[in-house]
Structures are given as structure tokens and as C-alpha cells.
Amino acid sequence: MQIFSLCILLSSYFIYNSMGAIDQQAIDDLHLVCHLAKNVHVKARKGVEAERASELSQYFPNLLWVLRDFHLRLVDSKGSSVSESDYLENALRPLPGQDDKNKVREVIKDLFKDRDCVTMVRPVAEESDLRNIQKVPYESLRPQFRTQVE
């Protein structure tokens, strides 16, 4: 895992790929990556006081969160359309009375100052086609998926 963390610190872009909507589990998984990368950096600076996440952000790449098999409509509480980036920012907003979860969200926002989100629908409708996706001709993929890929 330290090699993976080191790769993040040496990269200019980190593409985080997850399935479905951004939920607490997905945020916790991304936080684990952040935590490991912070540890690699702090260990490399032995003898120096531990840095805050906001100070470490200069060593972290841009974040692109790709949400595969995304099924939600991108709308706010009033039913108005929101962008994928707005969806990500809303998912990282603090939750009332959830101090521990809010700390995780803050660390992610502090470390990845430049972040964006892309959603992709499921490439095929049929489960059997999904199991053999490598054999499905490109033209048979869902038109919305093809548009997103192109």
C-alpha cells in the first residue's frame, strides 16, 4: 500500500474509480488512500512536526472521481439540475451531528484542492452482456455510455 501511496504523491492526477453514488463507504475508502499517502509524506520528513492536511495539499495531485454504473439523477433538493462537480461538492459537505464523518470529508477537501467528478451509466442493460462485456460490440453499448466515453 505504501507504493500505491507514493504513486499518488508523485502523480499530477489521481483518478479514483468507484461504482454507483458517492456514499459514506466510498468516502471512507478514499480517506484510507489519503491517510496512507499522508503517512508516506510524514515519514519522509522525520524529525519535522506533523503537518496538517491543508499543508500537505501541495504534494497531492488533482482528483477526478469517476462514478461507474451511476444511476441517480443529478438534481438538488429543489429538483433543479446540478453538475457532476456540484454533486461531488455536495457529497463532501458537512453532515449535521456527524463530527467523525465530517472530519473525513474535510481531510479529502483539504488534500485535494482541485477536484472534479464524472459519472458514467452502465454500459449495457442486460446482466449477461455485462458478464461478457469484452465480447459486446461497441455499437451494442448503450448510446448514453458511448457518448460519455467519447
Side-chain angles (χ1 to χ4, degrees), residues 22-83:
I22 297 175
D23 58 10
Q24 189 59 45
Q25 184 61 49
I27 289 172
D28 288 342
D29 290 346
L30 180 56
H31 180 255
L32 174 65
V33 170
C34 296
H35 182 71
L36 290 169
K38 277 185 1 184
N39 284 337
V40 167
H41 179 73
V42 170
K43 284 180 184 177
R45 294 180 48 125
K46 252 185 179 167
V48 177
E49 199 173 300
E51 296 179 81
R52 293 184 330 206
S54 59
E55 294 167 344
L56 292 174
S57 67
Q58 64 182 319
Y59 304 105
F60 275 69
N62 298 339
L63 169 68
L64 176 63
W65 196 327
V66 177
L67 298 169
R68 294 179 295 120
D69 298 353
F70 190 76
H71 57 277
L72 300 178
R73 288 183 41 230
L74 292 174
V75 294
D76 62 16
S77 58
K78 298 173 187 166
S80 300
S81 293
V82 296
S83 69

Side-chain angles (χ1 to χ4, degrees), residues 123-124 127-138 141 145:
V124 292
E127 190 72 30
S128 59
D129 289 337
L130 193 58
R131 277 188 234 116
N132 296 303
I133 194 74
Q134 69 277 8
K135 295 179 183 175
V136 176
Y138 183 74
L141 299 176
F145 178 81

Side-chain angles (χ1 to χ4, degrees), residues 22 67 70 73-76 80-91 115-119:
I22 297 175
L67 298 169
F70 190 76
R73 288 183 41 230
L74 292 174
V75 294
D76 62 16
S80 300
S81 293
V82 296
S83 69
E84 295 161 323
S85 295
D86 290 337
Y87 172 74
L88 173 60
E89 295 307 315
N90 289 338
R115 53 191 175 271
D116 201 1
C117 181
V118 173
T119 61

